[in-house]
């Protein structure tokens, strides 16, 4: 077990808390960088998807996990980013330009939904984002001159400095670099006063307000930032799939993103990555399990939905802190080995009061 | 007369939205949580009625009664098994949980061989009866929907206003802990509310079934009931009805007068405008906290 003796305030906000952390994350980064050399290209492709979903997950995590605002329409931002990138790549723009444009446009969309969202909270916000998601999806299907409508749109391979990034490996490295940058960005945001204001808003709006936090401003910033990250993920997603159509950005995708952050662990950066790994490996695990189950069950169409739903319910009921929470508990158990007590992570029961009284 | 026809069909559709919204509002009023699987409850209810009539061969009124009672029991069971363990957790948890439950019920229904994968016509005794009002046509299905919705809403409104049970439900939604202290069995009450809400959803499903068809994805109509509930004011029973009617009529008119595609999102545009203008909804309670 490691004890950290803090002697000054700087240590609280240090990016790398101690050498061990630096070592393990460095190793992870090296492994990730070496992955395409060792793995077959199918796995590299899956890893690219994990990275893309991790970026989107980080985006939703900032909003849902850190600011405490629930959104059931986040796939809309994914769509905005994807179509922006598809359009700009078609016009021959290099990747950095289209990524930036995707981020900016999604952030603008985020502000548009963030502004009405300031007046409402809780379940009303969820419904507002749901409505926004439907409207954007319909817009993508109808604006045929730009989006190609329901027939979908083919996307050119991403290109940088004149080189097309059309192999699995080169695209994987692009995703890796962007993912690392985004992760660092989110970590730094959380260390800054803005990020701490987000967490304060999540924990208690009233106390945040009385500490002088401008609720409407920070909620809008949170929406914009979250949307920008999801937009970047959307741009990469479009380049990865090379074909996009509106139904990829509907309510089911939004729920997938929610599943990602909840299963990964709300309110943790690790959670976004664990959730992304989960989301990508889940269909494969289901496919694997089909050999073991009787064909009457495994061949049925609803199998995947049932598994998704059950996993989501199981996590909410038994492990609300998600995979990351499970990992923390295992770690704490091992570190404290003989002294671990069962009630350590027990949730406090709080009784609900009406949100209608305000 | 075309306008009248559009409004009539909008009202009938709106009544379905209203009934699903009633289910939300019941649960919201009593437990301050929202059930995102309300549409799936409706779908299960419709299938329940279909099975009782077609497979078990029961007469129509008996089948309806059994379906409603059975689904009420099922709703209470769901509350006991799934919702009760997280009583007192934030709203977000319940939203995720009910989304998961919706997935599971839709998936399980799809997995039932032949029944789940096909679209079924729902046999009702009043099928095909039509009345003419001027040049507008009013079908018996629509009339039944409108009448049943009106009766149900009146009954529930009276219950919340005057019965001990209804008042206890309101108390527990405002402050669970205080309700406990006053001797209200909050847990048991939640079971009753979920049962009631499932029964309302089943009625909605059975009323919708003859108009559209019975299929696994009919639960997605539940997503249109959110706008209805918000427009009327979440937590207001008459509001749910009025909201549902507004959404239904707007959708019906938008489908005819506005360009293609607006119809599907008309409900959501209305709800966004409503949230911007008056987040409490038309009939929203304006309660103030006393310090």
């Amino acid at each position: 077990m490691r004890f950290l003796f803090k002697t000054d305030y700087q240590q609280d906000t240090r990016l790398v808390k101690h050498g061990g952390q630096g070592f393990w994350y460095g190793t992870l980064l090296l492994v990730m960088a070496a992955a395409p050399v060792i793995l077959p290209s199918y796995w590299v492709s899956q890893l690219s998807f994990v990275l893309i979903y991790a970026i989107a997950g980080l985006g939703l995590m900032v909003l849902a996990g850190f600011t405490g605002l629930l959104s059931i329409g986040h796939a809309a931002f994914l769509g905005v980013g994807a179509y922006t990138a598809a359009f700009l790549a078609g016009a021959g723009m290099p990747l950095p330009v289209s990524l930036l444009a995707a981020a900016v446009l999604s952030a603008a969309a985020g502000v548009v939904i963030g502004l009405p969202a300031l007046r409402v909270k809780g379940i009303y916000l969820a419904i507002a984002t749901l409505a926004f998601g439907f409207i954007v999806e319909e817009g993508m299907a109808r604006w045929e001159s730009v989006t190609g409508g329901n027939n979908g749109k083919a996307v050119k391979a991403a290109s940088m400095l004149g080189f097309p990034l059309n192999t699995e490996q080169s695209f994987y490295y692009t995703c890796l670099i962007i993912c690392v940058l985004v992760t660092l960005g989110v970590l730094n945001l959380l260390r800054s006063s803005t990020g701490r204001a987000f967490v304060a808003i999540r924990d208690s709006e009233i106390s945040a307000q009385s500490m002088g936090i401008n609720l409407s401003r920070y909620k809008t910033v949170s929406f914009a930032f979250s949307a920008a990250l999801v937009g970047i993920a959307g741009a990469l997603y479009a380049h990865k799939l090379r074909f996009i159509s509106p139904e990829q950005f509907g309510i089911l995708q939004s729920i997938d993103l929610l599943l990602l952050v909840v299963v990964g662990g709300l309110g943790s950066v690790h959670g976004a990555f664990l959730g992304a790994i989960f989301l990508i490996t889940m269909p494969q695990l289901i496919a694997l399990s089909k050999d073991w189950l009787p064909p009457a069950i495994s061949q049925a169409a609803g199998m995947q939905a049932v598994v998704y739903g059950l996993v989501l319910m199981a996590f909410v009921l038994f492990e609300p802190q998600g995979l990351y929470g499970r990992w923390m508990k295992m770690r704490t158990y091992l570190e404290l080995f003989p002294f671990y007590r069962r009630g350590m992570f027990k949730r406090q029961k709080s009784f609900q009061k009406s949100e209608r009284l305000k | 007369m075309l306008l009248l026809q559009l409004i009539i069909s909008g009202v009938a559709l709106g009544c379905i939205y209203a009934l699903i919204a009633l289910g939300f509002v019941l649960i919201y009023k009593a437990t301050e949580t929202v059930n995102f699987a309300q549409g799936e409850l409706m779908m299960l209810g419709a299938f329940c009625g279909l099975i009782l009539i077609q497979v078990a061969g029961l007469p129509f009124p008996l089948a309806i009664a059994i379906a409603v009672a059975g689904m009420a029991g099922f709703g209470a069971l769901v509350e006991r098994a799934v919702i009760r363990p997280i009583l007192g957790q934030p709203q977000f948890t319940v939203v995720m949980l009910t989304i998961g439950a919706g997935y599971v019920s839709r998936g399980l229904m799809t997995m039932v061989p032949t029944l789940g994968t096909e679209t079924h016509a729902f046999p009702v005794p009043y099928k095909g009866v039509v009345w003419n009002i001027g040049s507008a046509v009013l079908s018996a299905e629509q009339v039944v929907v409108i009448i049943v919705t009106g009766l149900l809403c009146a009954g529930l409104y009276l219950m919340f206003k005057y019965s001990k049970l209804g008042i206890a439900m309101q108390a527990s939604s405002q402050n669970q802990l205080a309700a406990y202290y006053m001797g209200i069995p909050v847990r048991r009450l939640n079971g009753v509310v979920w049962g009631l809400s499932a029964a309302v959803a089943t009625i909605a499903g059975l009323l919708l079934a003859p108009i559209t068809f019975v299929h696994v994805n009919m639960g997605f109509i539940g997503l249109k009931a959110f706008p209805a509930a918000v427009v009327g004011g979440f937590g207001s029973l008459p509001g749910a009805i009025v909201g549902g009617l507004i959404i239904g009529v707007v959708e019906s008119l938008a489908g005819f007068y506005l360009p293609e595609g607006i119809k599907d999102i008309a409900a959501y545009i209305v709800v966004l405008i409503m949230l911007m203008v008056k987040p409490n909804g038309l009939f929203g309670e304006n309660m103030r906290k006393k310090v």
Side-chain angles (χ1 to χ4, degrees):
Chain A
M1 185 166 190
R2 183 188 296 269
F3 290 97
L4 283 180
F5 293 104
K6 290 181 179 161
T7 48
D8 64 297
Y9 291 117
Q10 296 295 313
Q11 274 173 306
D12 271 336
T13 54
R14 205 164 273 172
L15 193 59
V16 180
K17 297 272 187 270
H18 51 78
Q21 229 183 10
F23 173 74
W24 285 114
Y25 287 119
T27 315
L28 180 67
L29 204 59
L30 281 180
V31 171
M32 292 295 279
V37 185
I38 310 160
L39 292 173
S41 67
Y42 172 73
W43 285 103
V44 177
S45 160
Q46 294 297 307
L47 271 179
S48 310
F49 271 120
V50 168
L51 291 172
I52 292 168
Y53 270 100
I55 298 172
L58 281 172
L60 188 52
M61 196 67 90
V62 167
L63 191 69
F66 293 114
T67 322
L69 302 172
L70 179 60
S71 163
I72 319 187
H74 246 52
F77 301 123
L78 204 64
V80 171
Y83 278 107
T84 312
F87 185 74
L88 289 180
M93 290 287 175
L95 186 67
V97 176
S98 68
L99 277 184
L100 203 65
V104 169
L105 269 181
S106 306
V111 172
V112 168
I113 181 65
L115 284 176
L118 301 177
R119 294 194 58 188
V120 298
K121 58 182 179 182
I123 200 65
Y124 288 93
L125 177 62
I127 293 167
T129 50
L130 182 81
F132 179 74
F134 274 112
I135 291 171
V136 171
E137 189 194 349
E138 194 63 30
M140 290 188 288
R142 297 289 162 193
W143 195 8
E144 287 180 2
S145 55
V146 175
T147 64
N150 279 321
N151 298 326
K153 185 180 175 75
V155 186
K156 278 215 293 196
S159 66
M160 188 123 71
L161 305 172
F163 296 104
L165 301 166
N166 50 8
T167 61
E168 292 293 355
Q169 280 77 10
S170 60
F171 192 72
Y172 170 81
Y173 282 117
T174 316
C175 289
L176 185 63
I177 292 167
I178 293 165
C179 189
V180 169
L181 289 177
V182 164
T183 313
L184 284 176
V186 170
L187 286 173
N188 280 324
L189 177 84
L190 292 175
R191 291 160 64 205
S192 72
S193 63
T194 314
R196 282 178 286 134
F198 288 172
V199 176
I201 291 175
R202 175 192 69 187
D203 290 342
S204 164
E205 284 195 4
I206 294 176
S207 24
Q209 211 168 9
S210 56
M211 296 295 283
I213 291 171
N214 183 344
L215 282 188
S216 46
R217 199 178 122 208
Y218 280 101
K219 279 185 181 176
T220 317
V221 170
S222 177
F223 254 106
F225 188 76
S226 164
L229 294 191
V230 178
I232 291 174
L236 289 173
Y237 184 80
H239 283 305
K240 176 75 193 125
L241 280 182
R242 305 289 292 278
F243 180 80
I244 48 178
S245 61
E247 69 261 27
Q248 288 165 341
F249 307 109
I251 172 95
L252 295 177
Q253 180 78 269
S254 296
I255 291 177
D256 269 1
L257 288 178
L258 275 176
L259 185 80
L260 189 163
V261 292
V262 170
V263 169
L266 268 178
S268 70
V269 173
H270 292 96
F273 285 87
L274 294 173
I277 294 171
F278 169 83
L279 203 65
I280 300 298
T281 50
M282 194 70 197
Q284 322 239 359
L285 289 178
I286 294 174
L288 274 179
S289 74
K290 282 188 176 171
D291 301 337
W292 299 57
L293 292 169
I297 295 176
S298 63
Q299 298 304 319
M303 167 84 172
Q304 188 154 349
V306 173
V307 175
Y308 267 53
L310 284 179
V311 165
L312 187 58
M313 287 168 76
F315 269 99
V316 173
L317 284 176
F318 305 117
E319 192 58 274
Q321 287 163 335
L323 288 170
Y324 183 65
R326 176 62 21 209
W327 159 246
M328 282 304 287
K329 283 173 196 173
M330 276 167 17
R331 239 183 79 167
T332 317
Y333 178 80
L334 291 175
E335 276 182 352
L336 299 177
F337 169 57
F339 302 114
Y340 185 85
R341 294 174 54 173
R342 279 176 66 199
M344 253 176 153
F345 286 94
K346 201 165 165 62
R347 268 186 295 174
Q348 285 256 303
K349 188 154 251 166
S350 63
F351 287 91
Q352 228 169 2
K353 285 188 185 170
S354 175
E355 283 184 11
R356 281 173 278 165
L357 297 167
K358 52 184 162 181
Chain B
M1 268 323 177
L2 179 67
L3 186 66
L4 183 66
Q5 180 72 59
L6 285 174
I7 289 177
I8 288 174
S9 59
V11 165
L13 188 66
C15 281
I16 300 292
Y17 295 152
L19 278 177
I20 307 171
L22 263 186
F24 292 139
V25 170
L26 273 176
I27 291 184
Y28 186 78
K29 227 171 148 60
T31 64
E32 189 102 347
T33 52
V34 177
N35 177 15
F36 270 71
Q38 195 73 25
E40 271 67 36
L41 278 178
M42 180 190 81
M43 181 268 291
L44 288 178
F47 266 104
C48 202
L50 185 78
I51 293 170
L52 284 173
I53 291 175
Q54 285 201 328
V55 181
L58 292 177
F60 183 72
L62 187 64
I64 298 287
I66 293 179
V68 171
M71 284 300 292
F74 177 74
L77 197 74
V78 168
E79 193 276 337
R80 179 69 194 86
V82 179
I83 307 294
R84 192 169 296 183
I86 55 160
L87 186 66
Q89 298 298 327
Q91 279 197 343
F92 176 75
T93 339
V94 185
V95 170
M96 292 311 293
L97 200 58
T98 49
I99 287 178
Y103 256 68
V104 172
S105 47
R106 213 177 318 125
L108 281 180
M109 209 61 221
T110 318
M111 279 168 85
V112 178
T114 66
L115 195 66
T117 44
E118 281 165 26
T119 305
H120 309 270
F122 190 78
V124 281
Y126 48 84
K127 199 168 192 71
V129 184
V130 225
W131 292 290
N132 290 313
I133 304 174
S135 63
V137 183
L138 192 58
S139 74
E141 282 101 339
Q142 290 171 332
V143 176
V144 170
V145 167
I146 294 168
I147 291 173
V148 173
T149 307
L151 288 178
L152 206 60
C153 182
L156 289 171
Y157 181 74
L158 290 177
M159 188 197 84
F160 267 108
K161 190 110 196 210
Y162 297 110
S163 84
K164 223 171 166 180
L165 182 71
I167 292 166
M169 284 175 180
Q170 297 204 43
S172 97
S173 97
Q174 286 175 15
N175 191 336
Q176 282 181 352
L177 194 58
Y180 266 125
Y181 288 160
M182 291 290 117
I184 293 171
V186 173
R187 288 160 183 265
R188 213 181 320 148
L189 209 59
N190 288 356
V192 173
V193 172
W194 273 76
L196 203 59
S197 162
V200 172
T202 308
I203 295 174
L206 292 171
L207 289 173
L208 181 65
I211 296 178
T212 60
F213 286 100
V214 181
H215 55 96
V216 173
N217 289 333
M218 71 193 278
F220 283 118
I221 290 188
L223 291 175
K224 287 243 177 78
F226 284 115
V230 172
V231 168
F234 236 101
S236 154
L237 290 168
I241 301 292
V242 174
L245 294 181
I246 291 175
I247 298 289
V249 172
V250 166
E251 202 173 277
S252 174
L253 294 179
F256 189 77
Y257 290 110
L258 294 176
E260 194 192 355
I262 303 280
K263 179 179 186 288
D264 296 329
I265 53 169
Y268 302 108
I269 295 175
V270 171
V271 77
L272 279 186
I273 294 171
M274 198 66 203
L275 283 174
M276 271 183 253
V277 178
K278 197 168 183 290
N280 273 342
L282 291 174
F283 290 77
E285 305 135 278
N286 216 350
M287 297 194 284
R288 289 272 162 232
K289 190 185 241 166
K290 293 195 188 89
V291 183

